[in-house]
Amino acid sequence: MVDDPTRNLTEWIDLFRGVEGLSDRALSEKCNLHRFPKNSPILHKDDPTSDIFFIVEGAVTARSYSAEGKEVSYIDIDEGGLFGEFSAIDGKPRSASVETTQDAVIARMTSAQFRSLIVENPHLGLRIAELLVSKARSLTQRVHEFGTLSVRQRLVNELLRLCEGADIVDGGCIIEPAPTHYEIASRIATHREAVSRELNALVAAGIIEVGRQKIVVRDIERLRNLAM
């Protein structure tokens, strides 16, 4: 773990990388650094806070829970990403809970400081707009899947998304570490038993292999055909 991550925010945080007029010194003066162990809560849904957070090391997940305790996962955010930008921009309560999925180093900036940065750096404002559009497109796609696709098709689409971050070798990929069946279920709006059943069907068809914290996709093209 680095000694002082705030000195390299323009290098390590995707939003800031290559933006003219930004310096590590200026950013470090605006940020407070925090270290969190794995599975630590950082934000809770409906919190009235408005700070923005940048992931220097580690990863987090954003989720919410129904009154009955059912979990809904929205997005996993890795090193270099950010979260909390919705409330930092509109000042409204948090739309989801966020917790770490790995040991993490997080830089925290107030909404006032972040808004000032955007005013001073128009290119940064454009990047934020692009980020928000990307998140909106992703959520729109998921809502479409929930309303129109079978559990198997939703599972297949989730596996294909996980493959996007993996190396493609001989027409397949290895998803490692793979999310648990429960975590996959929370992402595709179903239950763990349905995920287990559909994964077993894909194993029986020779399309994937399932191991400990690992899913091997043997044939991405066959998997992609099942998503249609």
Side-chain angles (χ1 to χ4, degrees):
M1 185 173 290
V2 291
D3 294 329
D4 187 1
T6 56
R7 293 181 181 175
N8 295 287
L9 287 178
T10 56
E11 177 181 336
W12 289 334
I13 303 303
D14 297 338
L15 179 69
F16 299 139
R17 190 176 298 120
V19 176
E20 294 183 5
L22 285 182
S23 69
D24 287 319
R25 178 188 289 260
L27 289 174
S28 65
E29 290 175 351
K30 298 178 185 295
C31 290
N32 291 316
L33 194 67
H34 302 270
R35 301 176 188 271
F36 296 91
K38 182 179 179 180
N39 297 328
S40 296
I42 301 176
L43 295 175
H44 294 283
K45 188 178 185 299
D46 297 324
D47 278 354
T49 59
S50 60
D51 292 354
I52 188 168
F53 301 80
F54 306 98
I55 306 173
V56 181
E57 290 184 356
V60 305
T61 187
R63 55 170 66 109
S64 64
Y65 299 88
S66 70
E68 295 76 26
K70 181 179 180 181
E71 178 184 319
V72 178
S73 294
Y74 297 119
I75 188 172
D76 294 324
I77 309 170
D78 297 323
E79 181 176 305
L82 60 90
F83 59 94
E85 72 277 15
F86 288 9
S87 295
I89 291 172
D90 66 15
K92 295 182 179 180
R94 302 296 182 180
S95 58
S97 297
V98 177
E99 67 180 50
T100 58
T101 55
Q102 304 172 14
D103 291 347
V105 178
I106 307 290
R108 180 173 186 165
M109 182 187 297
T110 68
S111 60
Q113 291 170 320
F114 182 63
R115 292 169 70 92
S116 177
L117 272 181
I118 293 176
V119 171
E120 296 167 2
N121 299 272
H123 186 58
L124 185 62
L126 178 60
R127 286 196 176 180
I128 282 291
E130 292 171 343
L131 173 69
L132 294 175
V133 169
S134 175
K135 287 190 174 182
R137 287 186 182 278
S138 176
L139 288 173
T140 299
Q141 177 62 29
R142 285 180 179 271
V143 170
H144 171 77
E145 291 177 8
F146 295 162
T148 63
L149 302 183
S150 66
V151 172
R152 178 170 298 184
Q153 288 173 312
R154 299 202 301 272
L155 171 63
V156 166
N157 275 287
E158 185 62 27
L159 292 176
L160 290 171
R161 279 189 284 266
L162 290 169
C163 281
E164 291 175 1
D167 294 331
I168 308 300
V169 179
D170 296 329
C173 75
I174 298 177
I175 301 167
E176 188 177 26
T180 66
H181 294 189
Y182 177 80
E183 289 169 338
I184 294 174
S186 71
R187 296 179 186 184
I188 65 173
T190 187
H191 49 85
R192 183 179 60 81
E193 291 77 11
V195 170
S196 297
R197 181 175 63 250
E198 296 300 340
L199 285 174
N200 288 337
L202 294 175
V203 170
I207 298 175
I208 68 170
E209 298 175 7
V210 177
R212 183 175 177 81
Q213 295 187 314
K214 178 170 68 174
I215 297 175
V216 179
V217 178
R218 299 176 62 186
D219 192 329
I220 292 179
E221 193 58 35
R222 285 184 66 192
L223 189 67
R224 188 173 289 115
N225 289 338
L226 294 176
M228 301 177 181

